[in-house]
Amino acid sequence: MTPDQYCQEKAAASGSSFYYSFLFLPPPRRRAITALYAFCREVDDVVDECRDPMLAAATLGWWCGEIEALYEGTPTHPAMLALHPAISGFGIEKSLLLEIVAGMKMDLDISRYPDFSALVHYCHCVAGVVGLLAARIFGYQHEQTAEYAHELGLAFQLTNIIRDVGEDARRDRIYLPEDELRRFGVSESQIFEARHDDNFRRLIEFQIDRAEEHYQRALDKLPASDRKAQRPGLIMAAIYRTLLREIRRDGCQVLTQRTALTPLRKLWIAARAWVREG
C-alpha cells in the first residue's frame, strides 16, 4: 500500500463529511488535503482511543518528532510521507502542524472550559489552523480568504461539539462553556446522566445559533473571486449546516444520540454545492 492509498483509506473509513468535499478536487490538491486530513485523524485518534494519558502524551510527542522529520525530509509514517510533496507547494508550515498537535494535547489536560473565549482558543488549534491549511491547499488569491477559512474551521468545530455532547460526556469531557451551563440552568450531572429537558434544549439551540453566526461570518469574508477555488469548504459548510438543522429538528437530543447524515445524502449535498459554486 502506498502512502497516498493509506491516506485515502483512512479518509474513506472515517465516514467524515470532509471526505465528500475532497472528491471533486484535481488529483494533486486531493492528495494533499487527504494527507493533511489523515494526519489530523491520526493525532485525534491518539487522544480518543488511548486510555493511558501518559502514553497518549508520549505518542503525541512522537508525532511532533515526525513533523520535525517531515521538514528534514525523513518522515516514516505513511501520512507524513504522503504529505511531504505538498508542504512547499501549498504553504504547509511546520509551526501550524505543531499547533494542531498542541490542540490535541489540550484534550489530555483540559476537560472543562470556563467560558467561550477559552473554548475559542482550543477551536483555533484543532480546527481554525486546519481550515487555514486546507484553504491554502485549495488555493486563493486574496488574504481575506485566510480569515474566512479560519472562521469556517471554528464553525466546524462548534458543530462537532454540539453533535458530540453525549459522546464527549462519556469520556468525561464537557466542551460547552461552564458559564453558559449556569446561564441555562444545566448541571454537569445532568449531562453525565443524559437527562434532557427544556433547559438543555434551549442551551443547545443557543449553541446552534452561535455556530450559524460563525458560518455566516465566514461566508461574508470570502471574496467572490475565491469562491470557486474554495468549493470544498463551501461543500463542508453545506453538509454541516444541514446537520445542525437536523439536530434542531430532532429536538437537540444530543445526549442520547449522535445525529448523522447518510453517505448518499452527503454526496448529494456535495454534488449540488459543487455545481452551485462552479
Side-chain angles (χ1 to χ4, degrees), residues 22-272:
F22 304 160
L23 295 176
F24 303 93
L25 284 169
R29 297 185 190 276
R30 186 170 67 245
R31 287 193 295 269
I33 191 63
T34 303
L36 176 65
Y37 176 79
F39 160 73
C40 292
R41 285 268 17 118
E42 292 286 353
V43 293
D44 188 48
D45 288 347
V46 170
V47 176
D48 285 344
E49 297 178 3
C50 185
R51 296 181 178 276
D52 183 338
M54 292 183 64
L55 178 58
T59 306
L60 290 178
W62 180 88
W63 273 104
C64 289
E66 268 293 281
I67 293 171
E68 296 290 344
L70 173 67
Y71 289 86
E72 295 169 0
T74 59
T76 59
H77 193 279
M80 306 308 268
L81 290 167
L83 190 59
H84 185 259
I87 58 174
S88 58
F90 295 116
I92 300 175
E93 299 170 17
K94 177 170 66 174
S95 61
L96 296 180
L97 295 181
L98 290 171
E99 200 163 2
I100 294 170
V101 177
M104 301 301 176
K105 190 176 184 301
M106 289 176 66
D107 277 330
L108 301 178
D109 305 321
I110 303 170
S111 60
R112 306 289 190 277
Y113 290 86
D115 51 37
F116 185 64
S117 62
L119 182 63
V120 165
H121 175 65
Y122 169 76
C123 293
H124 159 76
C125 292
V126 301
V129 171
V130 179
L132 176 58
L133 290 174
R136 291 179 179 178
I137 292 173
F138 302 150
Y140 60 82
Q141 299 175 16
H142 298 277
E143 280 305 311
Q144 188 173 324
T145 299
E147 299 177 23
Y148 142 83
H150 185 270
E151 191 72 39
L152 191 63
L154 296 183
F156 289 154
Q157 188 61 26
L158 293 176
T159 304
N160 287 337
I161 287 170
I162 293 165
R163 179 196 61 196
D164 296 339
V165 172
E167 186 175 303
D168 288 330
R170 289 185 283 278
R171 295 189 175 107
D172 192 34
R173 297 180 197 158
I174 298 178
Y175 292 98
L176 304 176
E178 292 175 312
D179 63 340
E180 293 172 8
L181 294 181
R182 292 192 294 271
R183 187 194 316 171
F184 285 89
V186 176
S187 66
E188 285 192 4
S189 62
Q190 178 178 343
I191 292 176
F192 289 132
E193 294 166 12
R195 289 187 280 113
H196 184 279
D197 61 12
D198 285 343
N199 286 350
F200 181 79
R201 178 184 52 77
R202 285 191 287 268
L203 169 65
I204 298 303
E205 287 180 341
F206 173 80
Q207 307 298 319
I208 291 172
D209 289 341
R210 180 165 56 200
E212 286 284 8
E213 289 173 6
H214 280 272
Y215 282 113
Q216 193 57 53
R217 198 176 302 166
L219 296 174
D220 290 344
K221 290 177 181 292
L222 179 59
S225 58
D226 280 337
R227 287 188 72 93
K228 185 173 182 179
Q230 295 296 316
R231 279 185 293 186
L234 297 174
I235 287 172
M236 275 300 303
I239 292 173
Y240 263 43
R241 294 180 94 176
T242 301
L243 179 66
L244 285 178
R245 288 194 292 272
E246 290 292 322
I247 291 172
R248 194 193 295 270
R249 187 176 298 123
D250 289 344
C252 303
Q253 301 279 346
V254 292
L255 289 172
T256 54
Q257 66 186 40
R258 189 179 191 270
T259 302
L261 307 180
T262 65
L264 183 60
R265 190 173 182 192
K266 289 178 184 178
L267 185 59
W268 180 78
I269 295 170
R272 187 176 63 171

